[in-house]
Amino acid sequence: MEIQIAKPKLWSLSYLNVCLANFLMACSFNLLMPSIPLYITEQMGVAQSKTGIVLASYAIALMFVRPFSGYIVDLYSRKKVLLVAFSCYVLIFFGYFWATTVMLCILVRFLHGITWGLSTVSSSTLAIDVVPTERRAEGIGYYGTFMNVAMAIGPFVAIHIYNNWGFQILLWCAIAMGTLGIVATAMIKAPERPKVEQSQKLSMDRFFLLKGWPIFLNQLLPCFAWGTIGPFVAQYGKQIGIFNAGIFFLFWAGGIITSRVFAGKLVDRGKIHEVNVSAMAIVAIAFFAFATIHNIYAFCISGLFIGIGFGMMFPALQTLYINLAENSQRGTANSTYLIGFDLGLAIGMLLGGYITGFFSFETLYLVASGLCLFSVLIYWTCSRVVFERNRLR
């Protein structure tokens, strides 16, 4: 008779608080994602082709801070780093009240990017610390669900608040959410970690996981596509006659939640490559339908499958980095994954502004589809091979 070994508990109080803090932080941030392009084009009179510069400024800041974030959270108390960074992040929301020009908007977004970068690296690494090793991919998946659902719910709520009460009320809502997130962070009981000697030699591998280069480059392609969603879907919906484009984000969130029911478990069972390849293909097909079929049904169903694909893909990609790194480099592994995410996001936003300004939204989403399809080929022929050659677990 086969003996069933009980799995260690995943949903501890600390893990719940990490996930809640992560959700509130991400939701507050993503209230601004669809509303800023609407605000600067409709209220400030900025040309569509220039919106990408404002949107991408925070992602550019992230790329500067991510490598150092990984080093900092590997060296110091992750909870303390998160509390300080999260508090500064909330305070910077007040800067938007005085950001009345494009340059001031860029500056505030840049500062927000720095604190967001440090907060997300310390939060995601803290989440890994409080998750049992045997359920790591599942834990990363559920943790990521909170952030990704926030990236869906935040824009949906933002469009409603912006249309009915304006941009300033939206800012106060973001500040309130962030404050609640700080309270949740303070309630986390972080595990004791072995002390890391500060005198250790610094090397490039403390800031960037060098073994992950091929995966990093591969990751940029679908992350470009991700970067076109939050900033431009609301504008695209208006253009093709979708009355409340925010409904896309609800289906997107539904897709993300659906994928997390099975994707993390499949990765834990060794199906990581099948999950990544399937996810990239699903996203490519969904973006193609999103760009070419203009009705409410295609708009919503595409959103659902884009959510399913990305919900499968991102935890699996993050697990690749974690399984390439030593335990003492978890922060570095996370920051490398997040740098790839941010760089792809920044390119998607920056080029997205130019493509939609000079061509069309349809062109942008066809480009996104093509890049996701190309990423399947790159993953199977290169990233998969490099991972299997260098994996530690």
Side-chain angles (χ1 to χ4, degrees):
M1 188 175 177
E2 195 174 328
I3 299 172
Q4 292 284 339
I5 300 172
K7 285 185 177 182
K9 183 180 178 182
L10 174 62
W11 295 97
S12 64
L13 186 59
S14 288
Y15 179 66
L16 280 167
N17 279 319
V18 171
C19 290
L20 180 60
N22 182 50
F23 172 78
L24 290 166
M25 177 171 61
C27 203
S28 65
F29 192 81
N30 284 283
L31 285 178
L32 302 186
M33 192 59 72
S35 54
I36 282 183
L38 291 171
Y39 175 70
I40 63 176
T41 54
E42 295 176 0
Q43 305 296 323
M44 296 174 62
V46 176
Q48 176 65 34
S49 59
K50 294 181 180 177
T51 57
I53 300 170
V54 177
L55 294 167
S57 57
Y58 94 90
I60 293 168
L62 286 175
M63 288 184 286
F64 285 104
V65 77
R66 288 292 199 203
F68 303 101
S69 300
Y71 177 71
I72 289 167
V73 300
D74 279 339
L75 195 60
Y76 300 106
S77 165
R78 286 158 186 167
K79 179 180 174 179
K80 289 178 182 176
V81 171
L82 179 56
L83 277 171
V84 171
F86 201 169
S87 299
C88 293
Y89 157 83
V90 173
L91 288 173
I92 289 169
F93 272 107
F94 289 96
Y96 291 100
F97 289 107
W98 292 279
T100 54
T101 66
V102 172
M103 283 307 299
L104 285 174
C105 279
I106 291 172
L107 176 61
V108 174
R109 291 291 283 171
F110 188 87
L111 293 174
H112 228 171
I114 291 173
T115 54
W116 169 258
L118 189 52
S119 297
T120 49
V121 171
S122 52
S123 176
S124 60
T125 309
L126 192 56
I128 292 170
D129 285 345
V130 299
V131 167
T133 303
E134 299 88 340
R135 304 187 70 175
R136 181 171 292 151
E138 188 181 357
I140 291 172
Y142 285 124
Y143 170 85
T145 300
F146 281 84
M147 174 169 279
N148 292 333
V149 169
M151 294 178 81
I153 292 174
F156 174 76
V157 173
I159 292 169
H160 180 74
I161 295 172
Y162 177 83
N163 288 336
N164 289 280
W165 294 289
F167 190 64
Q168 293 204 348
I169 296 298
L170 192 68
L171 291 175
W172 283 114
C173 291
I175 291 165
M177 284 183 179
T179 303
L180 289 174
I182 294 170
V183 174
T185 301
M187 295 170 66
I188 298 167
K189 290 185 179 178
E192 290 285 332
R193 294 194 300 129
K195 190 173 181 182
V196 179
E197 294 295 328
Q198 295 191 38
S199 59
Q200 64 179 319
K201 266 192 170 182
L202 293 184
S203 65
M204 180 62 179
D205 212 37
R206 295 301 301 161
F207 300 99
F208 187 94
L209 193 67
L210 296 176
K211 290 186 290 185
W213 261 114
I215 298 165
F216 176 86
L217 295 174
N218 194 171
Q219 182 187 347
L220 295 179
L221 302 176
C223 286
F224 172 99
W226 178 272
T228 66
I229 297 170
F232 302 113
V233 161
Q235 291 177 301
Y236 178 48
K238 275 188 174 183
Q239 186 186 84
I240 63 174
I242 305 297
F243 178 71
N244 183 11
I247 196 171
F248 172 94
F249 297 104
L250 291 185
F251 279 86
W252 190 32
I256 292 167
I257 294 168
T258 301
S259 71
R260 296 302 165 80
V261 172
F262 60 88
K265 293 176 182 178
L266 287 173
V267 171
D268 282 336
R269 290 173 191 163
K271 304 289 185 183
I272 193 166
H273 301 309
E274 292 85 347
V275 169
N276 272 319
V277 167
S278 300
M280 291 170 188
I282 288 168
V283 172
I285 294 167
F287 267 115
F288 182 81
F290 189 60
T292 56
I293 307 172
H294 297 162
N295 61 55
I296 186 65
Y297 303 106
F299 194 76
C300 294
I301 293 170
S302 297
L304 177 69
F305 280 96
I306 288 170
I308 288 172
F310 280 126
M312 292 167 62
M313 189 194 314
F314 288 146
L317 285 173
Q318 188 175 13
T319 303
L320 291 179
Y321 290 105
I322 297 297
N323 289 349
L324 284 173
E326 301 286 350
N327 287 337
S328 62
Q329 286 186 297
R330 283 181 185 171
T332 305
N334 269 318
S335 67
T336 304
Y337 161 75
L338 290 168
I339 291 167
F341 183 88
D342 299 331
L343 180 57
L345 191 73
I347 295 170
M349 290 177 179
L350 193 60
L351 294 184
Y354 286 106
I355 292 170
T356 55
F358 293 107
F359 298 97
S360 67
F361 289 102
E362 288 88 348
T363 302
L364 174 63
Y365 291 119
L366 284 173
V367 169
S369 173
L371 290 176
C372 289
L373 190 61
F374 186 53
S375 71
V376 175
L377 176 64
I378 299 299
Y379 184 89
W380 194 256
T381 58
C382 183
S383 301
R384 177 182 62 90
V385 175
V386 169
F387 175 75
E388 291 299 333
R389 188 186 302 139
N390 295 288
R391 65 186 300 173
L392 298 179
R393 58 188 73 83

